[in-house]
Amino acid sequence: MKAIQYTSFGDSSVLKLNQVDKPIPKEDEVLIKVTATTVNPLDMKIREGHMQKTMPVEMPYIPGSDVAGIIEAIGNKVTRFKAGDDVFATASGGTYAEYVAAKEERTALKPANLTANEAVALAVPLTTSNTVLIELGQLQKGQKVLIQGAAGAVGSVMVQMAKALGAYVIGTASGEGVELIKTLGADESIDYKTQDFTKLVKDADLVADLAGGPSQNKCFEVLKKGGKLLSIVMPPSAELAGKYGVTAQFVFSNPVYTKLEYGKQLIEQGKIKPHITKTMKLEEAAEAQDIVSVGGVNGKIVLEIN
């Protein structure tokens, strides 16, 4: 099968299209013939070697964190799927390829009203949004949430999920993203390049930090006492958390299939829609990663495999 691989860490030039053996699914895995995958910021962090302490990988390595496709075979302990099922899933690498062996516990049936490209664009954002808003954020109807970086791939889904939960949603973005998050249902949309969110937001129950950087410390100012700051980008200051009387945590998503199934229900109810900014071929993976690395991408870049 064809796959994108690299044998050393570095910039996008290390990505090579190779012929490799088709994976054999373990007893708790499904073999998926891949229709589409996407480019996630994590892909570049791994490629540059920044994740070796927390998420070590072995060379040669096939990147990729999400997949949509058709199940071709199942392991002997798999009970929820059969060959021919149309699925989407998250994975710990391996999806930039024609086939991937994915854990059953991280796989769900594809939403009936979406194409494979649309479904794969939602896989990682659904699990991450669920982790931040529901599992750890425990966001309740009527509560106020600020989503920093709300127009990105994860942010655009998080806005929709937060609205489905009945929250009052404020998002920060820039450029076209400001209008985008309004169309997704945000109650307030703040342009972080021209507006100071600390002057516009008060008494938030939850801040979801998807942006990181210097603005993270300012997030503490907008939280109510007892509120939560959850970041998927960088660890928040424990000192500031103590000063403001809030909980602050760096979040690693636990991508179980129940989170995909929860998202699938919202998708089929029309409450969450994908936002794809560009569709490219697997062979263009290096170019696609460079586009995401520059930043400012609203929505997902999908890589098609055929």
Side-chain angles (χ1 to χ4, degrees):
M1 69 170 187
K2 65 182 179 182
I4 296 291
Q5 273 187 328
Y6 50 88
T7 57
S8 62
F9 297 119
D11 61 22
S12 62
S13 67
V14 302
L15 298 176
K16 305 295 181 186
L17 184 68
N18 293 329
Q19 286 293 324
V20 303
D21 292 336
K22 185 192 292 189
I24 299 171
K26 297 175 183 175
E27 58 185 13
D28 62 344
E29 292 180 335
V30 295
L31 180 66
I32 301 173
K33 188 179 192 309
V34 181
T35 304
T37 184
T38 78
V39 178
N40 291 286
L42 179 64
D43 298 347
M44 284 72 82
K45 291 180 182 178
I46 294 172
R47 189 198 70 211
E48 292 166 357
H50 300 315
M51 304 301 293
Q52 276 302 89
K53 286 186 178 179
T54 53
M55 297 175 61
V57 300
E58 295 180 2
M59 303 295 178
Y61 181 69
I62 300 173
S65 305
D66 45 30
V67 58
I70 308 294
I71 290 182
E72 186 166 287
I74 62 173
N76 59 22
K77 286 192 176 179
V78 171
T79 60
R80 294 173 40 244
F81 301 105
K82 64 184 185 303
D85 281 345
D86 210 348
V87 297
F88 69 143
T90 60
S92 299
T95 68
Y96 285 32
E98 288 185 287
Y99 292 87
V100 64
K103 294 287 187 186
E104 180 185 24
E105 67 179 16
R106 295 174 65 168
T107 304
L109 291 173
K110 180 180 72 65
N113 57 334
L114 296 188
T115 65
N117 284 8
E118 291 169 333
V120 78
L122 292 172
V124 167
L126 285 175
T127 56
T128 304
S129 296
N130 191 300
T131 300
V132 172
L133 297 178
I134 300 173
E135 183 181 7
L136 299 176
Q138 298 179 324
L139 188 66
Q140 304 297 312
K141 183 177 181 179
Q143 288 189 325
K144 183 188 294 184
V145 57
L146 170 67
I147 301 173
Q148 284 276 72
V154 173
S156 59
V157 172
M158 195 173 289
V159 167
Q160 296 175 83
M161 188 176 290
K163 285 304 297 179
L165 289 166
Y168 186 88
V169 182
I170 307 168
T172 67
S174 66
E176 295 177 358
V178 177
E179 287 303 313
L180 170 65
I181 60 178
K182 285 182 184 176
T183 67
L184 296 175
D187 296 286
E188 294 182 44
S189 183
I190 297 171
D191 188 333
Y192 66 80
K193 288 188 175 179
T194 61
Q195 297 174 287
D196 182 353
F197 72 91
T198 64
K199 290 182 168 56
L200 300 171
V201 184
K202 298 297 176 191
D203 295 324
D205 297 279
L206 173 65
V207 173
D209 173 33
L210 316 181
S215 68
Q216 188 188 76
N217 285 348
K218 293 182 178 180
C219 292
F220 288 97
E221 300 175 31
V222 307
L223 280 165
K224 64 168 56 171
K225 202 149 194 153
K228 296 177 181 177
L229 168 58
L230 301 176
S231 176
I232 67 168
V233 186
M234 54 190 276
S237 166
E239 182 181 348
L240 287 175
K243 174 183 174 182
Y244 285 95
V246 301
T247 302
Q249 186 178 346
F250 180 41
V251 174
F252 280 102
S253 180
N254 177 27
V256 292
Y257 75 90
T258 51
K259 295 178 182 178
L260 290 175
E261 289 185 339
Y262 176 81
K264 179 175 179 285
Q265 290 179 349
L266 295 179
I267 292 163
E268 292 177 344
Q269 292 167 6
K271 294 179 179 178
I272 290 182
K273 295 180 172 65
H275 183 64
I276 297 171
T277 189
K278 193 175 181 68
T279 301
M280 303 173 74
K281 298 297 183 186
L282 178 66
E283 292 79 359
E284 300 173 297
E287 180 186 347
Q289 285 198 357
D290 286 342
I291 293 170
V292 175
S293 292
V294 169
V297 175
N298 296 329
K300 277 279 192 180
I301 292 183
V302 172
L303 298 177
E304 292 182 322
I305 292 93
N306 47 31

